[in-house]
């Protein structure tokens, strides 16, 4: 594609090893920019995820993709020199860096971006790790030693990298607060814009839900605790399996299933764990599903046992489809779930607490459950609209 001279362009630099919420958000933001009259120059350090999707939506006249075998986290001198050449060859003078992990964007890479672009913006999707708080030994009462020096150096490096960006969008207040409180990023540089979903396309469809249950042999009369997620370490799905065992030990009056829709590196381990816990008959692993409306319409509750998140789109999608949320107190999830009006928030890594919330959901009378369903739908429509989310991001970036 040849970028036209009549449309301004925006450069995105993306790095990912898979396709998830960050990538979905990035594609949506690119679409919003194309609609506003921009072209996109996409520098991709990833497999060809974006190529296939750009072709699928026929953006080829507005998106130019360049693949590089580089890392945005590098401090290798030769790689940084190559980054300088790559970024200087970009026509756009504005950069957007979507960060699926806080450590993305080394000091050297960030400085190369500052030299190559007139304006630079970052989007922080995940809450940064908490810096350990331990007594710091000091030399002569002033200079930090040992762990204190390591902590100070990491904090200083992140501050130097952040200084190369004009504005940072955080997808939740929890993400923003960690950047400010632990890492010393100036609060004036950060704006919070919650993720949003296109709720108009996520209306609950009971017939689609019935067909989805039938296709995976999920009985129509059971209560479904649904997980629409990647099967990875940070999702802490073993906690959900242990909670399911505890729930069944309570002998609930209503039959229940845990339905896990997704793929990932822990799939085999999780199936084996379900068998070891004796819950395989009550847990369904469906693999990846393209029918999100059908899946969410089949779920009664949307469940997240994660130990690390930003503000997951699947949670917002589930709430938009009338699923009652049960989530851990991690990052932006408590900002979406209003307790007790819409759902439950429990401590992470706590199977008994998760099982207790699941039992309470099962015990709700039908009228109260339907009230909570509608409260979730209303909350998403009022506070987590996709177009409004992108509008606020583009306004924050003056685009």
């Amino acid at each position: 594609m040849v970028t036209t001279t009549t449309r301004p362009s925006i450069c995105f630099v993306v790095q990912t090893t898979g396709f998830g919420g960050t990538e979905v958000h990035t594609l949506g933001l690119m679409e919003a920019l194309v609609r506003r009259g921009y072209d996109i120059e996409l520098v991709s350090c990833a497999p060809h995820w974006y190529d296939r999707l750009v072709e699928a939506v026929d953006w080829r006249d507005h998106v130019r993709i360049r693949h590089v075998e580089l890392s945005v986290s590098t401090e290798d001198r030769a790689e940084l020199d190559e980054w300088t050449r790559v970024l200087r060859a970009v026509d756009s003078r504005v950069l957007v860096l979507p960060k699926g992990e806080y450590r993305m964007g080394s000091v050297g890479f960030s400085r190369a971006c500052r030299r190559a672009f007139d304006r630079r913006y970052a989007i922080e999707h995940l809450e940064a790790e908490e810096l350990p708080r331990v007594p710091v030994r000091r030399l002569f009462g002033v200079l930090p030693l040992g762990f204190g020096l390591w902590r100070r150096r990491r904090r200083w490096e992140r501050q130097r990298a952040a200084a190369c960006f004009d504005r940072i969008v955080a997808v939740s207040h929890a993400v923003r607060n960690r950047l400010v409180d632990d890492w010393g990023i100036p609060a004036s540089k950060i704006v919070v814009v919650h993720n949003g979903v296109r709720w108009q396309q996520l209306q609950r469809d009971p017939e689609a839900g019935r067909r989805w249950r039938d296709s995976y042999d999920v009985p129509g009369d059971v209560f479904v605790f649904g997980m629409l997620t990647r099967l990875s370490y940070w999702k802490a799905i073993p906690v959900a399996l242990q909670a399911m065992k505890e729930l069944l030990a309570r002998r609930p009056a209503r039959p229940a299933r845990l339905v896990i829709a997704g793929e990932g590196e822990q799939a085999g381990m999780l199936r084996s764990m379900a068998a070891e816990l004796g819950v395989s008959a009550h847990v369904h692993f469906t693999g990846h599903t393209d029918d999100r409306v059908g899946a969410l319409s089949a779920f009664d509750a949307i469940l997240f046992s994660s130990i690390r998140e930003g503000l997951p789109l699947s949670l917002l999608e589930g709430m938009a489809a009338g699923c009652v949320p049960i989530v851990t107190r991690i990052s932006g999830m408590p900002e979406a779930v209003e307790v007790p009006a819409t759902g439950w928030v429990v401590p992470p890594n706590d199977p008994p607490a998760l099982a207790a919330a699941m039992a309470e959901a099962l015990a709700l009378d039908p009228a109260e459950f339907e009230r909570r369903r509608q409260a979730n739908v209303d909350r998403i429509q009022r506070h987590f609209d996709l177009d409004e989310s992108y509008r606020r991001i583009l306004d924050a970036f003056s685009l």
Side-chain angles (χ1 to χ4, degrees):
M1 177 217 93
V2 178
T3 303
T4 64
T5 58
T6 58
R7 292 169 60 97
S9 65
I10 306 295
C11 177
F12 281 70
V13 176
V14 295
Q15 179 170 300
T16 181
T17 57
F19 192 79
T22 298
E23 291 68 40
V24 171
H25 187 275
T26 301
L27 282 165
L29 187 58
M30 289 167 54
E31 180 182 15
L33 283 163
V34 169
R35 288 178 177 175
R36 284 200 180 191
Y38 289 91
D39 287 333
I40 306 297
E41 295 181 86
L42 185 67
V43 179
S44 177
C45 314
H48 291 202
W49 294 105
Y50 288 93
D51 302 63
R52 295 192 291 270
L53 291 160
V54 166
E55 289 182 7
V57 295
D58 198 22
W59 289 350
R60 286 168 291 183
D61 290 339
H62 299 297
V63 179
R64 179 173 61 196
I65 302 178
R66 176 173 182 176
H67 292 278
V68 296
E69 294 185 1
L70 300 168
S71 168
V72 301
S73 301
T74 186
E75 286 290 4
D76 178 80
R77 186 69 262 166
E79 279 199 61
L80 291 175
D81 288 343
E82 181 60 22
W83 266 123
T84 297
R85 288 190 287 273
V86 168
L87 298 178
R88 284 180 176 172
V90 170
D91 293 330
S92 175
R93 308 310 305 154
V94 180
L95 169 72
V96 176
L97 177 67
K99 297 174 63 177
E101 205 281 328
Y102 180 53
R103 285 170 291 183
M104 286 179 59
S106 65
V107 175
F109 171 79
S110 300
R111 286 178 167 174
C113 292
R114 183 171 59 186
R115 292 191 295 267
F117 299 96
D118 296 333
R119 291 187 288 158
R120 301 154 303 277
Y121 305 112
I123 302 175
E124 295 284 357
H125 283 275
L126 279 182
E127 186 176 0
E129 63 266 30
E130 183 179 6
L131 280 176
R133 287 172 170 78
V134 297
V136 176
R137 295 184 297 112
R138 296 180 180 276
L139 180 65
F140 305 122
V142 178
L143 298 176
L145 295 172
F147 181 81
L149 182 60
W150 171 86
R151 185 180 188 276
R152 176 70 62 85
R153 179 177 179 180
R154 288 195 67 194
R155 196 169 189 262
W156 182 50
E157 287 177 347
R158 289 292 89 202
Q159 290 171 352
R160 291 166 65 202
C164 297
F165 290 85
D166 301 290
R167 184 61 63 90
I168 298 169
V169 162
V171 302
S172 73
H173 291 284
V175 170
R176 177 258 185 208
N177 293 343
R178 182 59 57 80
L179 295 177
V180 174
D181 297 340
D182 271 40
W183 295 89
I185 308 304
S188 59
K189 189 182 285 283
I190 305 171
V191 59
V192 175
V193 180
H194 286 127
N195 287 338
V197 293
R198 204 167 297 287
W199 52 266
Q200 299 88 341
Q201 300 174 4
L202 295 163
Q203 302 297 304
R204 193 168 191 84
D205 185 338
E207 181 59 26
R210 184 194 62 77
R211 290 195 302 269
W212 196 90
R213 285 187 179 218
D214 287 346
S215 66
Y216 292 105
D217 296 322
V218 179
D221 62 341
V222 305
F223 187 103
V224 171
F225 296 97
M227 304 182 75
L228 193 59
T229 186
R230 182 166 177 78
L231 310 188
S232 66
Y233 170 79
W234 297 112
K235 304 303 181 179
I237 299 172
V239 174
L241 295 177
Q242 292 165 353
M244 192 65 191
K245 180 179 180 178
E246 296 210 16
L247 176 68
L248 294 172
R250 296 169 180 249
R251 298 185 180 277
R254 185 176 180 184
R257 299 288 187 274
L258 177 64
V259 175
I260 303 171
E263 297 174 337
E265 60 273 16
Q266 289 198 325
M269 180 274 288
L270 292 169
R271 290 176 184 272
S272 297
M273 182 177 181
E276 291 170 6
L277 291 173
V279 298
S280 291
H282 303 275
V283 178
H284 296 257
F285 292 91
T286 70
H288 173 75
T289 179
D290 289 320
D291 183 8
R292 296 180 81 83
V293 171
L296 294 172
S297 297
F299 296 171
D300 295 295
I302 185 85
L303 189 148
F304 279 80
S305 52
S306 310
I307 56 175
R308 193 177 185 199
E309 285 287 358
L311 179 53
L313 297 180
S314 293
L315 169 61
L316 304 181
E317 290 174 344
M319 293 171 66
C323 300
V324 174
I326 304 173
V327 303
T328 47
R329 191 172 291 109
I330 293 294
S331 194
M333 292 197 292
E335 297 171 34
V337 179
E338 188 177 14
V339 177
T342 62
W344 289 264
V345 177
V346 301
N349 284 320
D350 193 337
L354 184 57
M358 295 165 75
E360 288 182 22
L362 276 177
L364 285 178
D365 70 77
E368 172 61 16
F369 197 84
E370 287 303 317
R371 187 199 65 75
R372 294 198 185 197
R373 277 197 196 279
Q374 190 57 49
N376 281 291
V377 172
D378 294 344
R379 182 165 176 76
I380 295 300
Q381 293 182 10
R382 289 197 310 269
H383 301 294
F384 298 93
D385 178 77
L386 183 65
D387 291 333
E388 176 64 12
S389 175
Y390 288 144
R391 183 195 66 75
R392 292 187 58 206
I393 292 174
L394 298 183
D395 287 353
F397 293 168
S398 300
L399 296 175

